[in-house]
Amino acid sequence: MSAQYQRFLKVLEKWPAEKTKVGSGGEWTKPTDRMSEAKTISGTAVAKEIREELRREVLELRKRVANFVPGLRIVQVGGREDSNVYIRMKVRAATEIGIDAVHVQLPRSITEMELLDKIRELNDDAKVHGIIVQMPLDADTNIDSHLITDAVSPEKDVDGLHTVNEGRVAIGDLSGFLPCTPWGCIELIKRSGIEIAGARAVVLGRSKIVGTPAAELLKWAHATVTVCHSKTRNLAEITRQADILVVGIGVAEMVQGSWIKPGAVVIDCGINVKPDPSKASGTRLVGDVDYEQAKLVAGYLTPVPGGVGPMTVAMLMKNTVRSATRAVDWQTRSNWNLTTLPIKPAKPVPSDIEIARAQKPKDIALLAKEIGLQASEVSLYGNKKAKISLNVLERLADRESGSYVVVAGITPTPLGEGKSTTLMGLVQALGAHKKRNAIAALRQPSQGPTFGIKGGAAGGGYAQVIPMEEFNLHLTGDIHAVSAANNLLAAQLDTRIFHECTQQDKALYDRLVPKIKGQRKFSAIQLRRLKRLGIDKTNPDELTEQEFGAFARLNIDPDTIMWERVVDINDRYLRSITVGQSPTEKGISRQTRFSISVASEIMAVLALSRCMEDMKQRLSEMVVAFDKEGKPVTADDLGVTGALTVLLKDALEPNLMQSLEGTPVLVHAGPFANIAHGCNSIVADEIGLKLVGKNGFVCTEAGFGSDIGMEKFCNIKCRTSGRKPNAMVLVTTVRAIKMHGGGAPVTPGAPLNKQYTEENLELVEKGIPNLLQHIANGRTFGMPVVVCINAHVADTKPEHELLKKAALKAGAFAAVVSTHWSDGGAGALELAEAVIKACEAGNQFKLLYDLELPLVDKMSKIAKTMYGAAKVELSEEAQQKVERLTAAGFGKLPICMSKTSGSLTGDARIKGAPKDFTLHIEDVYVSAGAGFVVAMCGEITKMPGLSTRPCIYDIDLNTETGQIEGLF
């Protein structure tokens, strides 16, 4: 006997006797005015129809998203057989429809906290669209069932039992999940052809699962509803007035024929076990309505079994498919429902920090949801920044990617020409004003320039990333993780040299493979080294003396060490140092230097990795030095690959921020463009391209001029990712053109010469060749080039027109003037229109050179095509290194030219667009993990220094308000 049945028997015992009688007579007599029995409403038949409809709906979902499968998880605690019966029914129905239903059976010993954790795990699983918790909970300890049902996400509560979904039903919001049994009752009534609107309905029972929601659904279907319960007087009189009678009281055959209005619709939700000696089992199932009496009075009647029961399962499936459909709709929607942030541009334009602080960013969790990220894919760092899981790429693998736009510049002045500002203005125009899905993908700025002379890199004016303080400082710690990983490798490198110099082979081997608790074994990374050495043994005690000597000694040649320590500040006194001077190092010292953190090869690895496994593989392949036989020594040889990956596992996830107008911004990785390849990460772009969808845009930036950042964006980054950019935005300013036309030097911190603040068409005319070279660079890669003239206050219209005319004549797709710095996205609408049209023009992207070319030929191809050089000339040392790298198997890698950003040549003093010069290559080294060979052109420092008056003089913290002052 069920607990529910026992409970209602007690209610029945207390029920006033008169409530079971009709009037005062008490006895029921068969009606004489009925010509036929009630029509049976077969829940079995209707449920079958519904399952077939759902099966077709699932097939349609699979047409919209390849390989899509609705997911249902049925959570059971313990193993009650009655629960198992219900679960098997649900699994069979789901399988028939095409739903992936999984029975999640948990032990009786599970605690409430463990069960809640399991439900949260299912809530966060993108493959799960529906979750039900089978009741009762058959646990050893007391578990609050209401707490458990409310732990299921309302978006996955296909039982419709969450308080939120119950509340929606109560107020007439039927857009959520409806409780299955009441919904099934309504569906049975509708499918029988009965008009609910205007009917008088009585619901017998007020349970949370059946009676109460059934009454609400009938009410919102426009019936006049009365709810009866154990305290209701004159029960039979009330039920006899019902056109529709829904019974869910839990007492076998309680409702007699005399309680029913002739011709009424009777829906029996009860299921009870009644003794029946005539049955082999000794029992039979009956409802809460006396079927034999009711069928002689009612017009329509549901049987038990075969009535409401099958409908409950069918409506559970319907809720699951509804949830899955919402997931597909969300996944395939063409436009975000983005809440933009209005701006009110002031004149004159305030400082960047004043503008940023005047705008209150929206909660980053809201932005993440708006652009289609699921809660499980977002790790919040406060409420203004977050990290995005790479799992989103798996979820959106079948979604078409958006258009890919790279923003580059002409050869800049030392003040910069506003690439980041233009990028932000463009995406604000696309997203906030054109209502197109658009994401800006930027590099994370180094703290070196932030505390040096350049300041932040968040854009500027009314086109910037907010909060700009967080953007320009620690953000989520990625650069610190790169620094830690880089310096761990440096420490292991010097330590290994020390230990090899101070120990014999056997002692060194025994320390590398020690006995732990009497056992000795190789670690996984040591087994990889054995394999590279051709030693096919796994037992440390089986290696010969020659083998363990080869294993233990890397024999690093200190003169070939390429790995340097890093720190993320400008510190000129670390450009040349000596390490190992402590007496404890026994005289084993060497000359080395520090680089700034963003110049680390690990930063380039982070930017070029396509997934966690790819990053791990790249880290393992990083060459730190060569041994005394000329063979490369890698991070894997030093045993640090796993440790580096652990330090960087979170850093591989891109960071989500927002623009001043509330559009999404992905910030990730920050390799310098004059030292490394100067682009943000591949994974950030990939996530962005999937999030924006087919008609959206991901706009990213390539550092410095097109000769440096854009060239490497194409030849290194796009070669690695396989992406083909749809368009290039080339940013220019009148100021930079005048400088290339022979204008006075532009010096940070010093006032501009009047040549730059007054109209001077002659200087503009003379400086145009630099612009033309950069247009040609973009067209060389087959990209339509949109020239954006980033307007400054001192510019004149004739100067703008001169630049536009020259750009179009040189083959630019479009040339527009943009005022995004002063007007935000509204000032970049013409630019946005041009970009949209350029992306629609067709993709003709091509790479500059084939990897099969020799290293020097690839250098020459870049120098001649991108810079206008006649040839390249290698120093003797550089030539020797090219030969060594080629012999070591690195000859087929792409080239990363490390060159001054201030000139198309290798000499920053030379402006304009000189032709037929010689480019000198002073040094060459390999970044094997990143996957390129670096050619150093002239004197390029990897560690900037502070100026006489760096920004640090102005930076302070207001201890009363907590605000940073003077940062920008």
Side-chain angles (χ1 to χ4, degrees):
M1 186 180 298
S2 71
Q4 185 187 45
Y5 186 39
Q6 291 175 346
R7 208 162 44 244
F8 279 100
L9 282 179
K10 292 179 181 178
V11 172
L12 187 59
E13 288 173 359
K14 298 177 182 179
W15 209 287
E18 64 270 21
K19 290 188 179 180
T20 63
K21 300 177 182 178
V22 180
S24 58
E27 294 299 322
W28 177 80
T29 57
K30 180 178 177 181
T32 58
D33 56 346
R34 291 279 299 174
M35 299 301 292
S36 60
E37 294 184 353
K39 293 182 179 179
T40 299
I41 305 175
S42 172
T44 301
V46 174
K48 184 178 180 181
E49 292 176 12
I50 292 172
R51 290 197 303 273
E52 179 58 29
E53 292 168 5
L54 294 176
R55 188 185 68 81
R56 290 195 294 268
E57 288 182 32
V58 170
L59 290 175
E60 288 301 314
L61 292 179
R62 289 178 180 169
K63 290 178 182 178
R64 294 173 61 190
V65 176
N67 304 315
F68 179 82
V69 180
L72 174 66
R73 299 297 179 264
I74 306 169
V75 179
Q76 180 190 21
V77 175
R80 287 175 51 131
E81 183 53 33
D82 54 349
S83 293
N84 291 337
V85 170
Y86 290 128
I87 291 169
R88 286 194 290 268
M89 289 170 55
K90 293 167 185 174
V91 171
R92 279 197 300 270
T95 303
E96 179 185 337
I97 293 165
I99 297 171
D100 176 31
V102 177
H103 178 193
V104 181
Q105 190 163 19
L106 303 171
R108 286 175 51 90
S109 59
I110 197 168
T111 65
E112 186 174 85
M113 184 61 69
E114 290 170 336
L115 180 54
L116 288 170
D117 286 342
K118 183 62 182 180
I119 291 172
R120 291 189 194 103
E121 178 187 321
L122 295 174
N123 285 340
D124 291 341
D125 190 341
K127 295 180 180 179
V128 175
H129 305 101
I131 303 169
I132 62 172
V133 181
Q134 187 69 38
M135 296 294 174
L137 300 172
D138 183 23
D140 294 333
T141 58
N142 184 47
I143 296 178
D144 185 341
S145 60
H146 180 71
L147 180 66
I148 298 303
T149 54
D150 264 11
V152 176
S153 168
E155 286 75 27
K156 297 187 178 185
D157 169 40
V158 290
D159 253 341
L161 300 179
H162 193 286
T163 301
V164 168
N165 286 322
E166 288 179 335
R168 285 174 174 158
V169 172
I171 63 172
D173 178 3
L174 306 185
S175 63
F177 294 118
L178 305 182
C180 300
T181 299
W183 191 17
C185 294
I186 301 299
E187 194 68 21
L188 284 174
I189 296 169
K190 288 180 178 179
R191 295 202 180 213
S192 67
I194 303 301
E195 179 70 32
I196 298 177
R200 181 164 186 178
V202 173
V203 178
L204 183 54
R206 57 180 175 183
S207 72
K208 171 185 174 181
I209 296 175
V210 180
T212 298
E216 297 293 348
L217 291 176
L218 284 165
K219 178 178 70 177
W220 298 120
H222 309 298
T224 301
V225 184
T226 301
V227 178
C228 299
H229 46 77
S230 62
K231 303 300 181 185
T232 302
R233 295 190 177 96
N234 303 317
L235 184 60
E237 293 179 12
I238 296 172
T239 60
R240 208 163 42 240
Q241 298 175 38
D243 301 311
I244 299 171
L245 179 61
V246 178
V247 184
I249 200 70
V251 180
E253 298 179 331
M254 178 178 173
V255 176
Q256 303 168 27
S258 61
W259 295 26
I260 301 169
K261 178 181 179 179
V265 178
V266 180
I267 306 296
D268 189 353
C269 301
I271 183 163
N272 308 276
V273 179
K274 185 176 181 179
D276 186 345
S278 67
K279 301 290 183 181
S281 63
T283 62
R284 63 187 174 92
L285 295 178
V286 298
D288 293 350
V289 177
D290 188 321
Y291 186 83
E292 294 302 320
Q293 293 185 19
K295 73 180 182 180
L296 301 175
V297 182
Y300 297 86
L301 177 65
T302 58
V304 176
V308 173
M311 289 299 294
T312 299
V313 176
M315 304 322 280
L316 172 66
M317 299 300 120
K318 195 172 183 70
N319 270 338
T320 303
V321 174
R322 173 185 283 189
S323 178
T325 301
R326 288 173 180 168
V328 170
D329 289 343
W330 185 261
Q331 185 173 333
T332 57
R333 62 185 178 148
S334 58
N335 287 98
W336 301 327
N337 185 21
L338 201 66
T339 304
T340 57
L341 303 177
I343 59 173
K344 296 179 181 178
K347 298 293 186 291
V349 177
S351 69
D352 291 350
I353 193 67
E354 288 178 294
I355 293 171
R357 286 184 177 160
Q359 185 69 288
K360 183 179 179 181
K362 57 186 172 184
D363 194 296
I364 202 69
L366 171 62
L367 177 60
K369 185 174 183 180
E370 287 176 338
I371 65 174
L373 289 167
Q374 299 183 349
S376 61
E377 296 165 343
V378 180
S379 299
L380 301 177
Y381 282 64
N383 59 2
K384 300 298 182 290
K385 56 188 176 181
K387 278 196 164 291
I388 301 177
S389 169
L390 303 191
N391 292 339
V392 69
L393 290 173
E394 180 181 352
R395 178 172 65 86
L396 300 180
D398 296 319
R399 178 183 287 186
E400 289 189 68
S401 299
S403 295
Y404 196 23
V405 180
V406 59
V407 178
I410 68 165
T411 308
T413 69
L415 301 178
E417 307 320 304
K419 286 194 314 301
S420 299
T421 306
T422 301
L423 171 59
M424 295 310 301
L426 172 59
V427 294
Q428 287 175 207
L430 287 167
H433 298 269
K434 302 295 290 183
K435 305 303 180 184
R436 304 292 288 266
N437 296 352
I439 289 178
L442 284 79
R443 290 172 293 164
Q444 180 183 351
S446 164
Q447 289 180 161
T450 298
F451 289 105
I453 200 164
K454 185 174 181 288
Y462 288 96
Q464 56 172 295
V465 184
I466 56 173
M468 63 186 308
E469 303 101 308
E470 298 197 28
F471 175 83
N472 284 293
L473 293 175
H474 305 285
L475 197 55
T476 57
D478 294 349
I479 293 181
H480 300 314
V482 168
S483 301
N486 183 99
N487 294 341
L488 175 63
L489 179 51
Q492 172 67 345
L493 170 63
D494 282 317
T495 300
R496 185 59 177 264
I497 293 172
F498 171 81
H499 287 305
E500 288 191 25
C501 289
T502 56
Q503 298 180 63
Q504 297 297 317
D505 287 1
K506 186 66 167 67
L508 183 62
Y509 179 68
D510 288 343
R511 285 182 172 87
L512 286 170
V513 195
K515 280 190 177 182
I516 300 175
K517 295 182 180 180
Q519 289 190 333
R520 193 180 192 192
K521 64 179 182 179
F522 293 114
S523 67
I525 200 167
Q526 289 176 324
L527 289 170
R528 291 203 298 269
R529 173 158 171 76
L530 286 171
K531 186 176 181 180
R532 287 194 297 274
L533 292 170
I535 301 173
D536 187 22
K537 295 177 181 178
T538 58
N539 186 340
D541 296 323
E542 292 181 357
L543 268 65
T544 65
E545 183 176 345
Q546 182 180 359
E547 288 172 337
F548 70 63
F551 171 83
R553 293 204 174 274
L554 298 177
N555 288 321
I556 296 168
D557 181 354
D559 292 335
T560 67
I561 292 175
M562 298 178 287
W563 201 259
E564 299 160 358
R565 289 168 173 81
V566 299
V567 63
D568 195 37
I569 56 172
N570 294 356
D571 192 345
R572 65 189 313 122
Y573 271 80
L574 294 178
R575 290 172 178 170
S576 181
I577 62 170
T578 302
V579 294
Q581 290 190 319
S582 169
T584 58
E585 309 318 304
K586 301 180 181 180
I588 304 171
S589 63
R590 66 182 182 88
Q591 290 286 317
T592 184
R593 62 187 176 186
F594 269 73
S595 295
I596 196 162
S597 295
V598 290
S600 169
E601 182 180 350
I602 291 178
M603 181 60 82
V605 166
L606 185 73
L608 290 168
S609 296
R610 290 162 292 178
C611 61
M612 193 68 69
E613 181 58 35
D614 185 36
M615 181 179 75
K616 185 175 181 180
Q617 183 63 32
R618 288 173 177 274
L619 291 171
S620 74
E621 294 172 352
M622 293 188 303
V623 175
V624 297
F626 288 83
D627 66 18
K628 293 174 181 177
E629 295 180 357
K631 297 176 182 177
V633 178
T634 66
D636 215 52
D637 290 324
L638 286 166
V640 296
T641 301
L644 299 181
T645 308
V646 168
L647 284 172
L648 294 164
K649 69 179 183 67
D650 293 332
L652 187 59
E653 295 183 337
N655 305 291
L656 177 64
M657 296 189 76
Q658 62 193 285
S659 73
L660 197 70
E661 297 190 58
T663 59
V665 178
L666 294 178
V667 185
H668 200 216
F672 269 8
N674 60 335
I675 299 170
H677 70 291
C679 304
N680 74 311
S681 74
I682 286 175
V683 292
D685 289 355
E686 290 298 310
I687 288 174
L689 287 164
K690 292 297 184 180
L691 287 173
V692 300
K694 180 181 179 181
N695 298 316
F697 299 84
V698 168
C699 303
T700 189
E701 175 194 13
F704 295 121
S706 74
D707 56 317
I708 300 179
M710 187 277 292
E711 179 270 313
K712 288 180 276 194
F713 167 83
C714 296
N715 284 322
I716 295 177
K717 182 178 180 180
C718 291
R719 191 189 298 270
T720 300
S721 69
R723 287 289 173 187
K724 296 180 178 181
N726 300 85
M728 168 184 166
V729 173
L730 179 63
V731 180
T732 186
T733 62
V734 170
R735 180 182 65 197
I737 294 294
K738 286 180 176 179
M739 180 191 72
H740 289 295
V746 176
T747 305
L752 285 172
N753 187 283
K754 68 176 184 178
Q755 292 174 317
Y756 299 102
T757 59
E758 298 176 357
E759 183 177 289
N760 193 323
L761 297 177
E762 183 182 356
L763 279 181
V764 173
E765 188 75 51
K766 290 180 178 179
I768 282 176
N770 187 273
L771 171 64
L772 303 187
Q773 176 64 52
H774 291 284
I775 293 172
N777 287 351
R779 297 188 69 207
T780 296
F781 287 98
M783 294 183 288
V785 178
V786 176
V787 173
C788 174
I789 303 169
N790 184 17
H792 287 199
V793 175
D795 296 354
T796 68
K797 187 173 182 180
E799 289 172 333
H800 288 165
E801 290 301 319
L802 186 57
L803 289 178
K804 289 169 66 175
K805 182 178 178 180
L808 294 172
K809 185 177 179 181
F813 181 87
V816 301
V817 177
S818 189
T819 60
H820 45 272
W821 177 78
S822 59
D823 299 317
L829 283 173
E830 190 178 356
L831 173 62
E833 285 286 357
V835 167
I836 292 171
K837 291 177 181 177
C839 291
E840 293 171 347
N843 194 315
Q844 306 296 324
F845 179 77
K846 57 186 177 182
L847 296 169
L848 181 63
Y849 55 81
D850 192 286
L851 291 180
E852 296 297 322
L853 288 174
L855 291 175
V856 175
D857 288 359
K858 283 180 276 197
M859 297 175 198
S860 180
K861 182 79 171 178
I862 295 169
K864 290 179 179 179
T865 310
M866 296 287 108
Y867 313 156
K871 63 178 180 178
V872 296
E873 190 173 279
L874 278 66
S875 68
E876 183 178 347
E877 180 183 3
Q879 184 61 48
Q880 290 173 352
K881 289 186 176 180
V882 164
E883 292 169 3
R884 176 192 291 170
L885 293 176
T886 301
F890 301 117
K892 294 183 180 180
L893 293 179
I895 298 295
C896 178
M897 300 291 272
S898 181
K899 183 183 79 69
T900 178
S901 61
S903 173
L904 286 167
T905 74
D907 186 345
R909 298 168 298 180
I910 302 175
K911 305 303 178 184
K915 300 295 181 184
D916 299 328
F917 56 90
T918 298
L919 183 71
H920 296 280
I921 311 286
E922 303 297 333
D923 194 13
V924 175
Y925 63 90
V926 66
S927 291
F932 51 70
V933 170
V934 180
M936 303 287 288
C937 308
E939 288 295 325
I940 300 293
T941 178
K942 295 166 71 178
M943 172 52 78
L946 294 173
S947 64
T948 303
R949 194 189 187 286
C951 296
I952 58 177
Y953 280 95
D954 303 309
I955 297 170
D956 198 1
L957 180 70
N958 187 319
T959 56
E960 293 182 2
T961 65
Q963 285 193 332
I964 297 169
E965 297 175 346
L967 190 55
F968 312 101

